[in-house]
Amino acid sequence: MSIHDFWTPFSLFPFLNSLFIGISLASIFFIAALGLTIIYGTMGVINMAHGEFIMLGAYTTYVFQTFLGVPFLICLPIAFIALAVIGLVIERGIIRTLYQRPLDTLLATWGLSLILIQGIRIIFGGEPKYVGVPSWLDFQIEANFIHLSGVRLFIIIFAIVIGAATWFLMYKTTMGIRVRAVMQDKEMAASFGIDANKIYSITFAYGAGLAGVAGALFGALKTLFPDMGSGYIVEAFLVVVVGGIGLVGSMFSAGILGELSSIFSYFTNETFARFILFTLVVVFLRFRPQGLITDGTTRR
């Protein structure tokens, strides 16, 4: 193998296109990590089943679209509600009893992820499933150096909308104030009459719902498999740990990781790009373990 088989020489237009693809990757990373950011940032729960929540959102969309003929756009709120209900049940039934035991929480959610994978495999089998792309998203942008599908453009726009909506919810509403109060000091928040357990339940349900929406979007992008969640959970965790525990930090880290991944893939290949990216993340965390952006929050 020569160096030219491994290393792609620089060329302006293909490189600019890779930067644009990086924006698409960043939006996928951000949507995949958003629910995890909310849950981990508020509750300190390392939810190893987050990828399987994404998978359940994709299969929920598949069921409603294939068997009930529900349009794709309507499937997005349905996936959110379905996973929010599932998340609420899991928080009340499993997570709530393990709040003071982080290692047990990690193991319990990991076991839950295996149960969800096997459950979906029993119900739907291991064959690939597909979510239909609506006709109004079935187009391709071809302009100079830009080559982008309609689905990827929709995901970029949706990432901006859902990120802005979550920011508004967290920073401009009474519920958001209560959530941030519990994040900063649970006991102090309780002294002001804030029910931390209720906040935890709502937060976990909201985070799970966001994962469901992510699954619905990713289902239109890729084939559905019972273990498809594992393909997103690594990037989601990278975004959360690099960005810190806040929403803004996750947005910046998703952008940086998406662009770096695309640039490294352009010059080498996807496998080596992931190797470089993971190495850089480890080095970064060695010198800044608190992440990119910290707002002085101390989780109690």
Side-chain angles (χ1 to χ4, degrees), residues 73-100:
L73 267 187
I74 306 300
C75 288
L76 295 178
I78 290 176
F80 177 87
I81 295 171
L83 266 297
V85 172
I86 292 173
L88 184 64
V89 172
I90 290 173
E91 195 277 337
R92 292 287 179 88
I94 300 175
I95 305 298
R96 177 166 293 189
T97 60
L98 303 173
Y99 276 138
Q100 304 304 320

Side-chain angles (χ1 to χ4, degrees), residues 78-129:
I78 290 176
F80 177 87
I81 295 171
L83 266 297
V85 172
I86 292 173
L88 184 64
V89 172
I90 290 173
E91 195 277 337
R92 292 287 179 88
I94 300 175
I95 305 298
R96 177 166 293 189
T97 60
L98 303 173
Y99 276 138
Q100 304 304 320
R101 297 149 59 188
L103 179 59
D104 291 341
T105 304
L106 190 149
L107 293 174
T109 53
W110 180 58
L112 177 64
S113 71
L114 299 179
I115 292 172
L116 294 176
I117 291 173
Q118 295 305 323
I120 291 298
R121 185 169 283 127
I122 290 172
I123 296 172
F124 296 99
E127 298 79 16
K129 306 296 180 187

